[in-house]
Amino acid sequence: MANLVLLTDARGASIEVLPALALLSHRVRVLPASADLMVDPPSCDAVLLDARRDLAGARRLATLIRGGGTSSALLGIFTEGGLAALTTDWQLDDVLLESAGPAEVEARLRLALTRVETDEDDLVNKIVVGPLVIDEHAYSARVDGELLDLTYKEFELLKQLALHQGRVFTRAALLQEVWGYDYFGGTRTVDVHIRRLRAKLGAEHESFIGTVRNVGYRFVGPREGRTEHSTEPIHPA
């Protein structure tokens, strides 16, 4: 038995939105489909989002739910015609037609919950900071789902900064942590790699790596980055 939250503005609640729910043993809590709910999101195994009537509003709410970092499975309830508006931007784990029978609803819920559990296990080997996901085992980094084309040292530098978000690293400390004790190059190498990292993060996210004037660098993350990033002159390589 799963704990479900149904987000809907329908007066008939779950019986109107997804009649098959009445034939299943899951606990269902019906809440209004409001963005205010995301200030203090309810704890549950899965969120069912009513997208039968207001597709644009449901899509915005789905984005807010995902942006809030919920670990719950997220499923959308659609009419058959509404499926035409469905894209990956919704970030849903699965979809349900309002006419789905209890066996189909049960199966889709079970699969969605299993996928979420698997994703949570995968996060053990990942560093996640806002839209940035660093996979230590795969030596890969993505921003907003887009794979970054990083060299080994760029990856290690980004990982070191993100792993210690907010901590200020001197250039000498970064040389020691990323390049090792046997590296004889100067600290200017760090500046060059930071510049390249910012370029690869793109204009929207380059400010994640902040400069602490006369000291070094720190990873400030998505919330601080746009306001606290300062720059120092970096000479081209």
Side-chain angles (χ1 to χ4, degrees):
M1 183 189 303
N3 292 313
L4 310 178
V5 167
L6 173 61
L7 301 181
T8 180
D9 292 325
R11 295 183 179 180
S14 61
I15 296 177
E16 175 189 335
V17 180
L18 192 61
L21 280 178
L23 302 174
L24 299 174
S25 59
H26 301 299
R27 288 186 289 267
V28 182
R29 182 182 177 190
V30 181
L31 296 174
S34 169
D36 295 338
L37 188 68
M38 293 305 103
V39 175
D40 185 20
S43 176
C44 61
D45 298 311
V47 176
L48 305 180
L49 176 59
D50 182 5
R52 300 169 307 135
R53 303 289 181 263
D54 182 6
L55 287 167
R59 179 179 174 178
R60 285 194 296 271
L61 188 53
T63 303
L64 285 173
I65 292 172
R66 281 300 187 217
T70 180
S71 60
S72 303
L74 178 59
L75 295 87
I77 303 171
F78 290 80
T79 62
E80 190 164 350
L83 290 175
L86 183 62
T87 66
T88 55
D89 293 340
W90 286 71
Q91 302 182 65
L92 299 175
D93 292 301
D94 209 339
V95 297
L96 289 162
L97 286 175
E98 59 180 345
S99 59
E104 180 180 348
V105 172
E106 180 67 23
R108 290 187 179 276
L109 277 171
R110 184 170 62 251
L111 290 173
L113 290 172
T114 300
R115 282 194 293 268
V116 168
E117 290 173 358
T118 301
D119 290 344
E120 288 179 345
D121 290 340
D122 289 344
L123 287 176
V124 172
N125 301 314
K126 294 180 181 178
I127 302 167
V128 181
V129 185
L132 174 66
V133 179
I134 300 173
D135 189 330
E136 297 183 80
H137 282 188
Y139 282 92
S140 66
R142 295 177 181 271
V143 173
D144 290 330
E146 294 293 325
L147 184 65
L148 299 179
D149 182 18
L150 303 179
T151 65
Y152 176 76
K153 289 302 183 186
E154 289 167 351
F155 174 82
E156 288 294 317
L157 180 58
L158 180 62
K159 184 182 77 172
Q160 182 68 22
L161 290 168
L163 190 60
H164 304 281
Q165 184 178 1
R167 174 181 167 184
V168 178
F169 285 90
T170 65
R171 292 166 175 80
L174 287 172
L175 274 178
Q176 176 179 309
E177 294 291 340
V178 178
W179 280 264
Y181 292 100
D182 57 349
Y183 182 76
F184 295 102
T187 56
R188 182 169 169 273
T189 297
V190 176
D191 293 334
V192 172
H193 278 73
I194 289 290
R195 185 188 66 196
R196 291 172 179 167
L197 260 182
R198 285 173 173 160
K200 291 181 179 182
L201 285 168
E204 186 177 354
H205 304 299
E206 64 178 0
S207 56
F208 285 6
I209 301 176
T211 300
V212 180
R213 197 175 299 278
N214 298 323
V215 180
Y217 300 100
R218 71 184 184 113
F219 194 92
V220 297
R223 293 184 179 179
E224 299 178 72
R226 300 189 181 200
T227 58
E228 294 196 1
H229 171 60
S230 61
T231 59
E232 293 180 353
I234 299 177
H235 300 291

